[in-house]
DNA sequence: CGTTGTTTTGACCAGTTGGTCAAATGCAAG
DNA sequence: CTTGCATTTGACCAACTGGTCAAAACAACG
């Protein structure tokens, strides 16, 4: 039987994961170094490796944690709800995720950019299955004339693209916007966009 | 006066830039190695460095070339044209760029993800100025009631996000779509989206 | 052909990388 | 306060990193 983690273990594992998230999300797996992560976590490198077996292990732990939270908002899209409100709600939830968890968004982006070597299987199976299921719901809404007839897959892609852009391209968005805060305007824009797009 | 490049120089410099684009666009600056680039270019590492002074120099040459072509489509947005056609045309041009130059799109994405250390100045000056100028045109159209009243900056962001998504997240898009080709559906979807969004 | 400039290469280097290990330190329960 | 386990560390390693250099191979032109 596995022993319960001590307080020190909890604290240090959490510090490592947070530091790893910082570094991996900015530099990608290859570009990140254990020394960077160790420094960010306030630990020595051998001490890092006391808590995680390898660089891979830290990265894997982060990806696993990410997968859970990342797909949840889509899972919550409810076929029994009001179509337009459901889709707009999903977009807003995803936007909030970008605002509140930008590092996670960038970790995902980096992983996909590098060809998703570690999660391609999951994309092809779990993610595809989930998206296909929700796409069917959306298609049914369109067939019933409750929303406009748009390609459900590309509709979902559009929500991902539009919301993650604000996290992944944060520095560009802020450079262009100057002082203005991005997320309020983005939220308003998204609402208007999907309202008009989906009106039957 | 500088001598004209020999045929060998042209060929090898081109091979190096193409190889560098492959590697940098996938792994980012830090994650890319000269050995990788040399191998992809079919040259030895010292031979690489005969043509480019350093890793930085290859990357800088790529970024410079990218900046030109990357901002062109937006520059072509014409205040004298038909508003909705102009904006839809820009979106389509940008989508074609994603389709035809996905490596360039990913190079850009990687650079921004890593905090844009090498181009932040340009974002703050050139890019911001260009976007502000075009945003004014769009705002004028909205003020004249020729298009719906949407935030011009977020409208431009939406075009960037929606089009670049297909290049940057290519592997995810294809994993979810299965066999279906992404770009035809994307093109139709974009047209419908901006048509409906912008209708006054 | 020989000479001159261009291109390519093998050997090398110092710094960094992910990772190991034995020994030292800290700590909590009896 | 001691015993046993959890934690931390310094020293170390082999592989890889970006980069250098002198010498070799090649190309071109008279």
């Amino acid at each position: 039987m596995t022993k319960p983690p001590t307080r020190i273990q909890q604290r240090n594992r959490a510090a490592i994961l947070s530091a790893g998230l910082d570094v991996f999300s900015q530099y990608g797996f290859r570009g990140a170094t254990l020394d960077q992560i160790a420094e960010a976590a306030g630990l020595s490198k051998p001490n890092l490796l006391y808590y995680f077996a390898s660089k891979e292990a830290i990265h894997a732990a982060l990806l696993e944690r990410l997968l859970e939270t990342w797909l949840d908002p889509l899972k919550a899209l409810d076929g029994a709800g009001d179509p337009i409100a459901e889709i707009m709600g999903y977009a807003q939830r995803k936007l909030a995720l970008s605002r509140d968890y930008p590092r996670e968004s960038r970790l995902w982006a980096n992983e996909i950019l590098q060809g998703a070597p570690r999660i391609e299987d999951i994309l092809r199976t779990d993610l595809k299955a989930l998206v296909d299921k929700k796409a069917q719901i959306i298609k049914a809404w369109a067939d019933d004339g409750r929303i406009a007839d748009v390609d459900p897959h590309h509709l979902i892609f559009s929500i991902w693209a539009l919301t993650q852009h604000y996290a992944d391209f944060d520095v560009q968005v802020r450079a262009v916007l100057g002082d203005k805060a991005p997320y309020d305007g983005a939220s308003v824009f998204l609402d208007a966009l999907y309202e008009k797009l989906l009106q039957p």
Side-chain angles (χ1 to χ4, degrees), chain A:
Chain A
M1 51 191 194
T2 47
K3 290 170 187 172
T6 68
R7 244 171 273 111
I8 294 177
Q9 270 168 27
Q10 279 185 299
R11 173 171 50 80
N12 282 347
R13 289 182 68 93
I16 292 167
L17 287 177
S18 176
L21 187 53
D22 277 341
V23 177
F24 282 130
S25 68
Q26 197 176 352
Y27 296 106
F29 181 77
R30 287 226 38 188
T33 74
L34 284 181
D35 293 280
Q36 269 179 299
I37 299 173
E39 162 134 32
L43 299 172
S44 68
K45 188 169 52 165
N47 206 2
L48 258 204
L49 294 162
Y50 172 73
Y51 289 101
F52 287 88
S54 65
K55 186 185 177 184
E56 277 275 351
I58 302 174
H59 193 252
L62 284 169
L63 272 189
E64 195 180 344
R65 227 182 39 171
L66 176 57
L67 274 167
E68 285 177 38
T69 56
W70 215 237
L71 303 182
D72 268 356
L74 181 54
K75 284 188 189 140
L77 189 128
D78 180 9
D82 173 64
I84 294 187
E86 282 294 323
I87 292 169
M88 285 172 57
Y90 173 47
Q92 291 293 338
R93 249 171 299 155
K94 204 81 177 46
L95 184 65
L97 229 51
S98 276
R99 178 184 3 99
D100 299 334
Y101 302 95
R103 297 181 301 171
E104 280 81 352
S105 184
R106 287 194 278 266
L107 182 69
W108 184 275
N110 252 311
E111 185 63 15
I112 304 289
L113 266 179
Q114 305 196 2
R118 297 155 233 280
I119 54 169
E120 198 171 9
D121 288 348
I122 290 168
L123 299 186
R124 296 212 124 79
T125 56
D126 297 21
L127 180 64
K128 178 169 176 15
L130 175 61
V131 171
D132 283 346
K133 196 174 95 188
K134 299 303 181 179
Q136 258 188 314
I137 293 175
I138 294 169
K139 181 164 185 311
W141 284 338
D143 288 346
D144 293 354
R146 302 179 70 191
I147 60 169
D149 187 32
V150 296
D151 183 308
H153 285 97
H154 288 282
L155 175 65
I156 291 171
F157 291 157
S158 78
I159 294 172
W160 292 350
L162 287 170
T163 55
Q164 290 174 11
H165 185 82
Y166 288 95
D168 302 343
F169 290 75
D170 182 76
V171 21
Q172 175 178 280
V173 166
R174 287 178 197 277
V176 168
L177 244 35
D179 295 331
K180 257 192 304 178
Y183 282 98
D184 291 339
S187 174
V188 172
F189 181 84
L190 278 191
D191 266 1
L193 189 153
Y194 286 111
E195 168 110 49
K196 292 192 185 176
L197 173 64
L198 296 172
Q199 217 57 250

